[in-house]
Amino acid sequence: MPCQNQGFILDGYPKTTEQAKELFAALDDDNDEQESKEDLKYNRQIMPELVFSLEGSDEFLKERVINLPESVLQGSHNTEERFVRRLSEYRALNTEDITVLNYFDELEIHPTVIDIEKDESTEMKMTVEKMAKLIGEPKNYGATPEELKEIEHLKMEEKLRKEAVIRSERALQEAQMAEELMTKKAEWAEKLAEVKQQERELLLSQSLPLRNYLMHNVMPTLTHGLIECTKVRPEDPIDYLAEFLFTNNPAST
C-alpha cells in the first residue's frame, strides 16, 4: 500500500544503485503507478522527492566516531573498528563514477550534497536547518482526517480535564481561605472579648476607691437631701439642695 499521508525518511539506505533499483522498482501489476525514464522503471508513489548526501572526509568521520560519548556508542554498531569497516565497504561500492546518487540524478531527482565538515554548530544544527529549509513546509504528510479528528478530540478532552482540575483546585483553595478567615475571625472575637473583660476589670479596680469615698462621705448626706427635696418640693430645688448640704455637712458639726 503506497504511503500517501505520513511520508517517510530513509537514513543511510540505499547504499548502492542496485539497492535503489530494487527498493523503488515498480511491480508488474502496478501499471498505474509505474513510470519509466531511460529504461529505469520505478514506482512513483514511493520515490522520494528529495535526496540529501552528507559528505565528509574519512578522517573527519573517524574523528567524530572516536569522540562520541560512551553512552552513545554502547549497544550500537558505531565502534571505531566496525565503523572503519563499513566506511571502507561504502567507499568501495561508491566511487566517483559509480554511486547511488547517479541513480537519482538519472531520474532528475538531483541530490543535494552538503559538506558537513563546514558545520561547526552544536549537533549539526546548521545542517539540519538547511535541510529543513529545502524541504519546506509540510505538504500532505500530516495526519489523516480521522487522525486529526482524534487529535482534536484528545486535545478537547485534555483541555476539559485541565479546566476541571483548575476549578477543583480553585474551589479547594477558596474553601481553605474561607476556613482560615472564619478561624481568624473567631480568634479575633475571642481576643476582643478578652480585652474588653480586662478593661472592665481595670475600670472596676480603679473605681473602687472613689466609690468607697463617695459612699462613705457624700452619698448619705446627698441621699437625705434628695429625700427632703422631694418632700418639700421647693421652687428652686438646686438652691434648696445646696443649702441643705451646707447646713447638714457632717464635717462642720
Side-chain angles (χ1 to χ4, degrees):
M1 187 92 180
C3 181
Q4 298 178 346
N5 293 307
Q6 300 300 330
F8 62 89
I9 295 176
L10 295 178
D11 181 11
Y13 191 87
K15 294 180 174 63
T16 66
T17 301
E18 293 305 318
Q19 289 177 346
K21 289 179 179 179
E22 183 179 358
L23 178 62
F24 301 115
L27 301 177
D28 294 337
D29 55 350
D30 291 338
N31 293 326
D32 293 339
E33 299 174 0
Q34 287 188 26
E35 284 198 13
S36 178
K37 200 169 191 67
E38 298 182 4
D39 298 328
L40 290 176
K41 291 184 179 181
Y42 63 93
N43 187 335
R44 70 173 185 274
Q45 292 291 332
I46 62 173
M47 180 59 66
E49 295 180 1
L50 296 169
V51 176
F52 295 98
S53 177
L54 305 183
E55 298 288 345
S57 65
D58 290 0
E59 292 74 16
F60 176 81
L61 298 175
K62 291 175 185 177
E63 187 69 21
R64 280 184 58 84
V65 170
I66 292 173
N67 292 326
L68 285 175
E70 187 64 29
S71 58
V72 175
L73 291 174
Q74 189 173 7
S76 72
H77 56 267
N78 283 327
T79 61
E80 182 180 358
E81 181 181 351
R82 298 178 68 179
F83 175 77
V84 170
R85 176 177 55 79
R86 289 187 295 108
L87 181 60
S88 299
E89 292 175 355
Y90 176 80
R91 296 300 190 200
L93 293 172
N94 291 271
T95 63
E96 185 175 350
D97 298 325
I98 303 174
T99 171
V100 65
L101 300 181
N102 294 340
Y103 170 78
F104 298 104
D105 256 331
E106 291 175 7
L107 299 178
E108 296 187 2
I109 304 173
H110 305 296
T112 299
V113 179
I114 301 176
D115 186 358
I116 60 174
E117 291 191 47
K118 297 179 180 179
D119 188 348
E120 298 179 355
S121 60
T122 305
E123 296 183 353
M124 294 290 173
K125 184 178 180 181
M126 291 176 57
T127 298
V128 173
E129 289 177 350
K130 182 177 181 179
M131 294 171 65
K133 185 176 180 180
L134 291 172
I135 293 171
E137 295 294 327
K139 301 174 185 176
N140 65 328
Y141 305 136
T144 63
E146 293 78 10
E147 290 171 336
L148 288 174
K149 186 176 180 180
E150 179 64 19
I151 291 171
E152 190 64 27
H153 176 70
L154 293 175
K155 285 183 178 179
M156 181 59 66
E157 284 187 345
E158 181 65 14
K159 180 182 178 182
L160 294 175
R161 185 190 68 79
K162 288 182 177 179
E163 290 177 351
V165 171
I166 292 174
R167 287 195 300 270
S168 176
E169 291 178 348
R170 186 179 299 161
L172 178 61
Q173 186 178 16
E174 289 176 353
Q176 290 175 343
M177 292 176 63
E179 184 178 356
E180 290 176 0
L181 182 60
M182 291 296 294
T183 302
K184 289 180 179 179
K185 283 184 176 180
E187 292 175 353
W188 181 81
E190 183 179 351
K191 290 180 179 179
L192 181 61
E194 183 179 349
V195 170
K196 288 183 176 180
Q197 179 63 26
Q198 291 174 352
E199 288 179 347
R200 286 193 294 268
E201 293 176 355
L202 179 60
L203 290 174
L204 180 61
S205 64
Q206 290 177 345
S207 66
L208 280 176
L210 179 59
R211 183 181 301 180
N212 291 335
Y213 173 80
L214 292 173
M215 291 298 294
H216 180 71
N217 298 292
V218 178
M219 292 307 296
T221 306
L222 181 60
T223 302
H224 188 196
L226 289 172
I227 293 172
E228 290 298 321
C229 186
T230 57
K231 288 179 180 180
V232 176
R233 295 189 179 183
E235 292 182 2
D236 189 350
I238 300 298
D239 185 66
Y240 177 85
L241 183 59
E243 182 65 27
F244 180 88
L245 292 175
F246 180 76
T247 305
N248 296 277
N249 183 2
S252 62
T253 58

